[in-house]
Amino acid sequence: MKEERRFRAIWPLSDIMRELALDRKFWLLLILLFGAGILFRLGAVYFNFPFLHGRWLYGNAAQSLAERGDFKIATYNASEIPHIYSVREKGGEFLEHNPLWPVLGAGIVALTPLNGFEATQAISFLAGILVLFLIYRAGRELEGIELALLSLALAVFSYLLIDFSGNGSFYIFQGALYLLFLLLWWREENWKNTALLGIIAGFALLLNHQAVTLVFAYVVHLIFFKRLGFKPIFTSMVSFLLPAVRIYFPWGLRNYFFIGNFLPPADMYYVWDKLGFARQAEGDIITYAPTLATYFELAKRVFTNWLPHNLYFINRQLFVLAPLVYIFALFLAAEVFFFKKFGKLLPLFLILGFHILISAAWPVTKFRYFVPMLPLVFLAGSYWIMGFVPDRR
């Protein structure tokens, strides 16, 4: 009897000691993962150089804004890049891309001895660490600690996420904004939360037009899945879209007055060139004159060529970039959409799905477009895997 009472007295203490041991292992693993992630990303900063046009362009714009207070830059080969205005008459080239990345870089240039490219490298490094933190938080909120650690480990050792955390490119920051949007979407309770989602979407659009993904994902979810009445849908739509439009609108006005278009035409120039559409040159002004027939040809090319071929390319690459995990993410996607297991998974797949569609509809799906996809794929694949691990709790 005494032995039994003694055993009962010691049993709670043994439980506590076991929990403390598990806590120590958890914190040790978490520190090791974040430490490895930081070390790998520092290596990416060291080994990357500004040899690509996009990285050079944004670094140049950041330095121009910090030193001269304007976005007037010089392209590395202006003869190959069309302009809707005369570069000679304007006294240089205006930035025709999104401004958020060089604005952030300009702040670093103004406060440190770094040049424009080094500043964007520093921001991409910080964004890479932020992605690790956000994917861990998303895993915790989606399922629990085990899912969070697995998805974090996948992100830590992903060579694509490592490289883009040190090469000065903004795509890793786009991935961070996707994860932040997803986390806040899961916590949406009132119009203030909805407005905050709109603010994130607005800044994401100032980073990259591809981030219209967030707008499509939220609006489709609101209209087709929430099953609300007209008034709540309208209120949520206004609360979401109004801040997003207000954030982007000043940049659109700047484009209109300096370039002549509310949306810069640089991206569409690329599309017309890939379509084989002839340029019209007058001095150093190069324009296109699309007609209704041109847009029909564009739609035909998108749906019969670019979209199917790029969807195949995207799926093939994800099997390489996220081996096994992508297969499990596909299994989970089938369960979510065919068996209507929505909940927190639906927003994740809507963001991922629209990003894939927008990337595939482009003439060429660039390798960098995969960077914002991977954290979402890691979360989805990890969720499916953890569903088959017994006694996780």
Side-chain angles (χ1 to χ4, degrees):
M1 197 71 176
K2 289 182 180 180
E3 288 297 324
E4 183 179 351
R5 282 198 299 270
R6 185 180 173 211
F7 176 77
R8 288 177 179 174
I10 295 174
W11 179 251
L13 180 61
S14 65
D15 277 352
I16 293 172
M17 295 301 294
R18 185 161 54 249
E19 289 295 326
L20 288 174
L22 288 174
D23 283 346
R24 285 196 294 270
K25 292 178 181 177
F26 160 73
W27 283 110
L28 177 61
L29 179 58
L30 192 64
I31 292 170
L32 286 174
L33 285 174
F34 272 103
I38 293 171
L39 183 64
F40 295 154
R41 283 147 182 81
L42 283 173
V45 172
Y46 179 79
F47 286 109
N48 267 287
F49 299 95
F51 57 87
L52 291 180
H53 171 242
R55 302 179 201 175
W56 183 94
L57 176 71
Y58 287 107
N60 190 318
Q63 198 152 342
S64 172
L65 182 61
E67 295 176 353
R68 298 197 307 268
D70 61 37
F71 277 121
K72 196 172 288 186
I73 59 177
T75 57
Y76 71 109
N77 191 350
S79 63
E80 294 297 322
I81 299 175
H83 294 288
I84 199 171
Y85 57 92
S86 172
V87 174
R88 289 194 300 267
E89 292 179 4
K90 295 287 188 180
E93 176 194 354
F94 293 113
L95 179 69
E96 295 183 4
H97 296 72
N98 306 62
L100 183 58
W101 197 240
V103 166
L104 295 175
I108 301 294
V109 172
L111 296 173
T112 68
L114 300 179
N115 62 34
F117 172 71
E118 292 167 343
T120 58
Q121 271 193 306
I123 305 171
S124 67
F125 170 76
L126 295 175
I129 304 304
L130 180 60
V131 163
L132 297 182
F133 173 77
L134 291 175
I135 198 171
Y136 173 77
R137 285 304 313 165
R140 287 289 296 261
E141 296 203 17
L142 186 59
E143 180 70 7
I145 292 175
E146 293 87 353
L147 172 60
L149 289 175
L150 178 56
S151 53
L152 171 62
L154 292 169
V156 164
F157 293 100
S158 167
Y159 74 88
L160 185 66
L161 297 185
I162 291 171
D163 182 54
F164 275 79
S165 297
N167 66 7
S169 174
F170 62 73
Y171 288 92
I172 191 69
F173 188 50
Q174 184 179 347
L177 290 177
Y178 280 11
L179 288 171
L180 181 60
F181 188 91
L182 181 64
L183 280 165
L184 294 175
W185 194 354
W186 286 343
R187 303 175 185 179
E188 183 187 15
E189 295 177 351
N190 51 49
W191 70 269
K192 292 181 180 179
N193 301 136
T194 306
L196 185 56
L197 289 174
I199 291 172
I200 296 172
F203 280 111
L205 288 171
L206 285 181
L207 181 74
N208 184 6
H209 283 129
Q210 195 181 53
V212 73
T213 290
L214 300 179
V215 177
F216 287 153
Y218 183 84
V219 170
V220 167
H221 182 266
L222 182 64
I223 295 176
F224 295 102
F225 293 98
K226 294 203 75 171
R227 301 183 182 279
L228 301 173
F230 174 79
K231 186 176 180 180
I233 288 178
F234 179 78
T235 302
S236 296
M237 194 83 74
V238 171
S239 299
F240 176 73
L241 292 178
L242 187 60
V245 172
R246 290 185 65 180
I247 288 172
Y248 186 84
F249 192 74
W251 182 251
L253 285 180
R254 174 264 184 194
N255 293 333
Y256 179 78
F257 287 113
F258 284 99
I259 301 173
N261 287 72
F262 190 81
L263 297 174
D267 290 336
M268 286 309 298
Y269 282 179
Y270 179 81
V271 172
W272 299 137
D273 281 340
K274 290 296 181 181
L275 198 61
F277 196 39
R279 297 180 177 184
Q280 298 181 358
E282 184 178 339
D284 63 340
I285 300 176
I286 300 175
T287 58
Y288 298 80
T291 63
L292 187 60
T294 310
Y295 286 102
F296 275 117
E297 178 62 26
L298 174 61
K300 177 182 175 182
R301 185 70 62 88
V302 168
F303 289 106
T304 64
N305 190 324
W306 298 343
L307 187 63
H309 284 88
N310 287 334
L311 283 175
Y312 167 72
F313 171 72
I314 289 170
N315 278 275
R316 188 184 67 189
Q317 284 297 115
L318 285 174
F319 279 116
V320 176
L321 295 172
L324 293 179
V325 182
Y326 181 56
I327 299 175
F328 301 144
L330 289 176
F331 288 157
L332 182 63
E335 289 185 13
V336 168
F337 287 100
F338 288 106
F339 297 99
K340 297 183 178 180
K341 295 182 178 180
F342 295 151
K344 291 183 176 181
L345 293 172
L346 182 59
L348 186 155
F349 278 112
L350 285 174
I351 295 174
L352 177 60
F354 276 111
H355 180 84
I356 288 175
L357 281 176
I358 290 172
S359 302
W362 199 242
V364 177
T365 298
K366 307 290 180 66
F367 193 61
R368 52 186 179 264
Y369 298 169
F370 290 93
V371 178
M373 295 183 203
L374 278 187
L376 302 175
V377 172
F378 290 155
L379 283 170
S382 299
Y383 182 92
W384 198 87
I385 291 170
M386 297 313 300
F388 290 88
V389 177
D391 299 324
R392 300 198 314 277
R393 300 183 186 280

